Amino acid sequence: MTGRRMALALVLVFLTASLLMTKLVDVQVVRASELQGESEAIRTTSETIWASRGSIVDSFGNDLALDVDRYDVSADPSVSGDFRRAGETLSLEVALSEIADITGANADEMLFAIRKDPEARFTYLVKGVSPEVHLALRELGIPWLQMDLVRERTYPFGPVAGNITGMLGTDQPLAGVELDWDDCLAADNGVATYQRGADGVRLPGTTETVVDPVHGGDVVLTIDSDLQWYVLQQLAEHGSRLGAEHGSAMVVRVSDGHILAAADWPTFDPNDFAQTPTSNTGARVFSSPYEPGSIMKAIGVAMLIDGGYTYAEEKIVAPGIFRLYDDRYIKNYSVAQDTQLTTAGVLYTSSNTGLSVLSSRMPRATATSYFQKFGFGSATGVDFLGESNGRLKTGDGLDIVSRYTQFFGQGISVTAAQMAGSFQTLANGGLRVPLRLVEGCVSNAGVLVENPVQEPIQVVSQSASDQVIRSLETIVAQGPLRNVLGIPGYRVAAKTGTAEIANSQGYGAERVISLAGMAPAENPEYVVLVSFYKPQTSRVSTAAAPAFHDLMSHVLKHYRVAPSSEPAVLPPVTW
């Protein structure tokens, strides 16, 4: 009986062992690959390898926009709980309190996030902590704490260049260079996988890159960020003093048309633009045309001299009233009687009627052609996103009134960029070099792909531009603003402008005041233009003179321009 029992026991043991062996073979051999794959699928998770969006830099390499490292802190609620550190057990509540002390987050809110769904595998605790905070959290040694690298867009100069850089939204560029040059700046994130244990902790040595990240290229601007900052400060100071609705200013290097500063006030901070009025989030220097007023007279006289219709010393009589027909006429701002002026004197006194006498000599089609060659009626070479063409009346749309008033800045609308570009042309011997804001894109391989350079255009002759510049010097050297506009040691040529603002009933009481000029006048290196829209404390162009003086003085000092070495030979203004 004992033997039979022993035999039965042995049979049962043998059968059990056979079944176990069969199962073991099935698991380890037959289905090994399948089960291993299923196991890895359960334990394997993926993460984003963040690529950096390219930076926007100024002409000196200073970052105007760049990506910075930030970390999102998260946890796996299904495994978050007590843990041991240095032989001591720490509770979930203590761990969250330590995290709160470092990050400034609310410990109770983090505890709620973990406990609201204990079966969840993921919940955010804190987003966007700095690298320093990330290191401090790592030193806590909390096993279930996860920290993932993300990229955050930041603008170190804040509102200084916001009108130019534009801004980045949650997942896409929204304006400015950020949007217009997105093909250069854009980055492609990579993907990595890793395995984690039953406790949710990443297993060392299991991270594997699946898709490599591709970083974006850098966009190089012509902007000088230090100068841009100064220009914006002056706009804010003088604009506030005038009670203006807004103001704009540009500084252009004459030799190559590089825009060194292009500021708008009020502007916005691209780091925090959610509450900013939409009207302040663009670049008015490119997108907001206005009637420029008398600063256009410098362009009109250059056209007339180049066309052979006058010269700086020509003697004319500027009538008190220049009658067009019946009850339509052109008059001056303050002078009501006939005045004996030279063509230079027309600019010096800013005579509407004197310029009308001269412009009547030029055929309409010829005048239109000159305006177009100066760049009016079309976007500048910058071709900034959302840039306006302004408005130049041509052909059948050019009525008899506008045919004259366009010469002195009414009936024509321009942007600050177009106006600054026209003065660059005068300052450059009549050679128009298209304005330039973007040098090009530096690829992530470090190669600069230059932004194509447009060909210069000879708009008027050297002689015509020289005569106009000498005429503009009379305004600074001899005019009523000489004590405001004059810069000791330098010859400056400039023109003021006051333009009426049209409304639904015609022209109203509101004004745009401007001042544009160049220095040193004998060999101009820089052009400065400043304008204020709807000033309240003073509505005449002379009120813009202090701002122009401060800007031009700073430019000459900032770039260490040598003082003028030869005296001016100025044309007569009356006879």
Side-chain angles (χ1 to χ4, degrees), residues 501-509 534:
I501 297 176
N503 55 39
S504 58
Q505 283 78 43
Y507 288 104
K534 293 185 178 180

PDB file of all heavy atoms in Angstrom, residues 501-509 534:
ATOM      1  N   ILE A 501      -5.089 116.230 -39.959  1.00  0.00           N
ATOM      2  CA  ILE A 501      -5.598 114.864 -40.005  1.00  0.00           C
ATOM      3  C   ILE A 501      -7.024 114.888 -40.542  1.00  0.00           C
ATOM      4  O   ILE A 501      -7.888 115.606 -40.025  1.00  0.00           O
ATOM      5  CB  ILE A 501      -5.569 114.211 -38.609  1.00  0.00           C
ATOM      6  CG1 ILE A 501      -4.117 114.107 -38.129  1.00  0.00           C
ATOM      7  CG2 ILE A 501      -6.220 112.824 -38.637  1.00  0.00           C
ATOM      8  CD1 ILE A 501      -3.986 113.572 -36.719  1.00  0.00           C
ATOM      9  N   ALA A 502      -7.237 114.128 -41.599  1.00  0.00           N
ATOM     10  CA  ALA A 502      -8.564 114.101 -42.219  1.00  0.00           C
ATOM     11  C   ALA A 502      -9.545 113.289 -41.379  1.00  0.00           C
ATOM     12  O   ALA A 502      -9.167 112.311 -40.729  1.00  0.00           O
ATOM     13  CB  ALA A 502      -8.465 113.504 -43.619  1.00  0.00           C
ATOM     14  N   ASN A 503     -10.796 113.735 -41.381  1.00  0.00           N
ATOM     15  CA  ASN A 503     -11.878 112.966 -40.766  1.00  0.00           C
ATOM     16  C   ASN A 503     -13.046 112.910 -41.746  1.00  0.00           C
ATOM     17  O   ASN A 503     -12.900 113.292 -42.905  1.00  0.00           O
ATOM     18  CB  ASN A 503     -12.298 113.572 -39.421  1.00  0.00           C
ATOM     19  CG  ASN A 503     -12.673 115.053 -39.548  1.00  0.00           C
ATOM     20  OD1 ASN A 503     -13.304 115.457 -40.523  1.00  0.00           O
ATOM     21  ND2 ASN A 503     -12.270 115.859 -38.566  1.00  0.00           N
ATOM     22  N   SER A 504     -14.185 112.434 -41.302  1.00  0.00           N
ATOM     23  CA  SER A 504     -15.327 112.243 -42.208  1.00  0.00           C
ATOM     24  C   SER A 504     -15.854 113.559 -42.769  1.00  0.00           C
ATOM     25  O   SER A 504     -16.508 113.587 -43.809  1.00  0.00           O
ATOM     26  CB  SER A 504     -16.458 111.500 -41.481  1.00  0.00           C
ATOM     27  OG  SER A 504     -16.851 112.216 -40.323  1.00  0.00           O
ATOM     28  N   GLN A 505     -15.561 114.681 -42.100  1.00  0.00           N
ATOM     29  CA  GLN A 505     -16.033 115.986 -42.576  1.00  0.00           C
ATOM     30  C   GLN A 505     -14.958 116.756 -43.340  1.00  0.00           C
ATOM     31  O   GLN A 505     -15.168 117.875 -43.775  1.00  0.00           O
ATOM     32  CB  GLN A 505     -16.495 116.854 -41.392  1.00  0.00           C
ATOM     33  CG  GLN A 505     -17.863 116.480 -40.835  1.00  0.00           C
ATOM     34  CD  GLN A 505     -17.797 115.247 -39.960  1.00  0.00           C
ATOM     35  OE1 GLN A 505     -16.892 115.105 -39.148  1.00  0.00           O
ATOM     36  NE2 GLN A 505     -18.763 114.356 -40.123  1.00  0.00           N
ATOM     37  N   GLY A 506     -13.783 116.153 -43.481  1.00  0.00           N
ATOM     38  CA  GLY A 506     -12.671 116.855 -44.114  1.00  0.00           C
ATOM     39  C   GLY A 506     -11.490 116.890 -43.161  1.00  0.00           C
ATOM     40  O   GLY A 506     -11.272 115.953 -42.395  1.00  0.00           O
ATOM     41  N   TYR A 507     -10.746 117.996 -43.196  1.00  0.00           N
ATOM     42  CA  TYR A 507      -9.624 118.139 -42.272  1.00  0.00           C
ATOM     43  C   TYR A 507     -10.105 118.820 -41.000  1.00  0.00           C
ATOM     44  O   TYR A 507     -10.778 119.845 -41.031  1.00  0.00           O
ATOM     45  CB  TYR A 507      -8.489 118.941 -42.918  1.00  0.00           C
ATOM     46  CG  TYR A 507      -7.759 118.169 -43.983  1.00  0.00           C
ATOM     47  CD1 TYR A 507      -7.978 118.429 -45.329  1.00  0.00           C
ATOM     48  CD2 TYR A 507      -6.847 117.179 -43.641  1.00  0.00           C
ATOM     49  CE1 TYR A 507      -7.292 117.725 -46.317  1.00  0.00           C
ATOM     50  CE2 TYR A 507      -6.170 116.453 -44.612  1.00  0.00           C
ATOM     51  CZ  TYR A 507      -6.400 116.730 -45.944  1.00  0.00           C
ATOM     52  OH  TYR A 507      -5.742 116.019 -46.917  1.00  0.00           O
ATOM     53  N   GLY A 508      -9.714 118.232 -39.852  1.00  0.00           N
ATOM     54  CA  GLY A 508     -10.135 118.773 -38.569  1.00  0.00           C
ATOM     55  C   GLY A 508      -9.012 119.500 -37.866  1.00  0.00           C
ATOM     56  O   GLY A 508      -8.019 119.914 -38.468  1.00  0.00           O
ATOM     57  N   ALA A 509      -9.151 119.636 -36.556  1.00  0.00           N
ATOM     58  CA  ALA A 509      -8.190 120.405 -35.766  1.00  0.00           C
ATOM     59  C   ALA A 509      -6.975 119.587 -35.350  1.00  0.00           C
ATOM     60  O   ALA A 509      -5.948 120.153 -34.962  1.00  0.00           O
ATOM     61  CB  ALA A 509      -8.888 120.955 -34.518  1.00  0.00           C
ATOM     62  N   LYS A 534      -1.455 113.456 -33.088  1.00  0.00           N
ATOM     63  CA  LYS A 534      -2.445 114.138 -32.257  1.00  0.00           C
ATOM     64  C   LYS A 534      -1.863 114.687 -30.953  1.00  0.00           C
ATOM     65  O   LYS A 534      -2.335 114.387 -29.851  1.00  0.00           O
ATOM     66  CB  LYS A 534      -3.629 113.217 -31.947  1.00  0.00           C
ATOM     67  CG  LYS A 534      -4.468 112.859 -33.158  1.00  0.00           C
ATOM     68  CD  LYS A 534      -5.695 112.032 -32.758  1.00  0.00           C
ATOM     69  CE  LYS A 534      -6.564 111.717 -33.964  1.00  0.00           C
ATOM     70  NZ  LYS A 534      -7.770 110.918 -33.594  1.00  0.00           N
TER      71      LYS A 534
END
